[in-house]
Each structure stands twice: as C-alpha cells, then as structure tokens.
Amino acid sequence: MIRDKKFIFMAMLVFVMVIFVFLYNHPDISNASQVDSPVYKIVIDPGHGGKDHGAEGVSGRLEKDFTLQLARKVQELAEQDSSIEVYLTRSNDRFLSSIERERPQFANQLEADLFISLHGNTYTDPTVSGTETYYYHPESLPLAESIQKHVRDATGLQDRGVKKADFFVVKDTNMPAVLLEVGYLTNPSEEQKLFEEDFQYRIAASVIEGIQDYLGTTENT
C-alpha cells in the first residue's frame, strides 16, 4: 500500500514538472489570459450647450441640440467596439466655459487618446452646404483626414475638405484633436437631414469608422 502511494506521488510530481517545463518554454500560452488589447479613450465633445446655443437653423432648431443628439449616438454605437471607450464632455444641456477651457481640460485630465468636437455650421448664404474638418497641430492631420473621409462618404454631403484653424478645442488638447462641422444648419435641406434620426446614426457610425481607421483597429463585438 505504501509503495502504491509512493508511486502515485512520484507520478503526480513528474506530471507537475512536465507541465511547468512546457509552460516555461511557451510563455505566450502561460500569459495569454493576462494580455489585454489596448482600450483607447476617446473624448467626444458636443459643441455648445446651456446658454450657448450655437448656430440656429432655418427652422429655429439649435446647434447645441444637434451636437448632443449626435454625441450620444456615437457613444451608443461605440459600445459595440471593445477597443474604444467614449467619454462625453457633456451628457446633457449644460454650459461649458470657453474662457476656462473646460473641454480640452476634461480630455487632458482624462489623458484621452483622441478628441473630436462635433458641430453644425452656419453661413449667411443658405445655399452653402457641406462637411469640413478642422485641426491645429500637425499630428492631428491624419485623424482629421480620416474623419472627413468617412463622414463625407457616409453622408454624401459636399466635401469642403480638411482645414487648419486655431480653435481652442483643437489647440489646447494634448492629444490628436479635430473639430467636425458636419453640415450647415442654415441650409434648409441640410438642416432637415441633420436632425433626422437615421441620418444621425449614419453620421455617428462614420465617426466611429474614422476613429477605427485612424487607430488601425477593427470592430470588436
């Protein structure tokens, strides 16, 4: 009986040693469960808010409402991709001070990877239309080009291109940052589209695709 117990003990010891040697020579297997894919922190900034109404559309609808509706849809759709996590500078109709630079400060304190500010455009001529994306720092240009391309292709709105400007939301951020002017609220047909639920989801999806394209990630569901 004692001999049998010794045999079982030795067999178990040998088995444990074999497993240890195997894992030692295959570190990727032993660490596989510990390696996580990177999660990128994306700040989406719904332009304006509170007493700052932004542009007023031809029908009286406000830019601050459009940007918040769109930002919420971007956050909703982003939940389908485990590699990105979206944070909103505001999740309701509240005022954020431009003097105190609250929007870029939020992103900087979060140590976000990307910052995208959403807007609706305005002009005195109601025939002017289209999508344009602004950046300031050179390292933000590739992000601006990716967002512009995907939003333009998804919406079919006129391509007004990528432009450099010193808006504080793209100048004072420590990470690649862009300001997206989706379309013109002062253009009657464009304003109507911008407030349509399905069209907003199309824009939101294209923003996420632009982010994924820039980061080189694929959608993880």
Side-chain angles (χ1 to χ4, degrees), residues 23-218:
L23 292 177
Y24 181 82
N25 292 322
H26 297 80
D28 291 339
I29 295 176
S30 61
N31 295 328
S33 60
Q34 302 175 19
V35 178
D36 296 322
S37 299
V39 176
Y40 298 94
K41 292 184 283 190
I42 314 297
V43 170
I44 299 295
D45 172 41
H48 309 282
K51 64 182 181 180
D52 177 10
H53 296 171
E56 182 174 336
V58 290
S59 69
R61 287 178 286 194
L62 302 176
E63 181 183 2
K64 68 171 185 176
D65 298 325
F66 162 70
T67 59
L68 183 56
Q69 292 168 12
L70 179 58
R72 285 172 172 168
K73 290 178 175 62
V74 173
Q75 187 176 47
E76 175 190 341
L77 295 181
E79 293 176 357
Q80 302 172 19
D81 187 341
S82 60
S83 68
I84 61 176
E85 188 169 359
V86 166
Y87 300 82
L88 303 185
T89 56
R90 66 180 181 96
S91 57
N92 51 36
D93 183 22
R94 70 186 185 95
F95 175 73
L96 295 174
S97 173
S98 59
I99 296 176
E100 296 179 6
R101 301 299 199 252
E102 289 187 68
R103 298 169 193 271
Q105 278 190 19
F106 174 82
N108 292 341
Q109 291 173 1
L110 185 65
E111 297 184 345
D113 296 289
L114 301 177
F115 177 95
I116 299 171
S117 189
L118 304 176
H119 290 263
N121 221 333
T122 179
Y123 198 66
T124 53
D125 183 352
T127 64
V128 174
S129 65
T131 299
E132 54 196 26
T133 305
Y134 292 89
Y135 75 101
Y136 181 75
H137 299 289
E139 60 268 25
S140 297
L141 178 56
L143 174 62
E145 292 174 336
S146 182
I147 296 294
Q148 176 70 16
K149 174 184 180 298
H150 284 275
V151 174
R152 175 202 68 201
D153 291 349
T155 62
L157 299 180
Q158 180 183 342
D159 184 3
R160 297 180 62 87
V162 171
K163 305 171 183 178
K164 183 176 180 179
D166 63 350
F167 299 129
F168 78 93
V169 289
V170 295
K171 185 177 181 180
D172 294 349
T173 43
N174 297 334
M175 69 291 304
V178 301
L179 185 150
L180 171 63
E181 294 277 11
V182 182
Y184 280 77
L185 297 173
T186 45
N187 180 296
S189 62
E190 208 150 277
E191 183 210 32
Q192 181 179 353
K193 288 181 179 179
L194 293 177
F195 277 92
E196 291 175 355
E197 192 86 353
D198 291 345
F199 198 75
Q200 287 184 2
Y201 272 112
R202 192 188 308 174
I203 300 167
S206 68
V207 169
I208 292 174
E209 289 167 1
I211 293 170
Q212 293 169 333
D213 191 12
Y214 171 81
L215 294 174
T217 61
T218 55

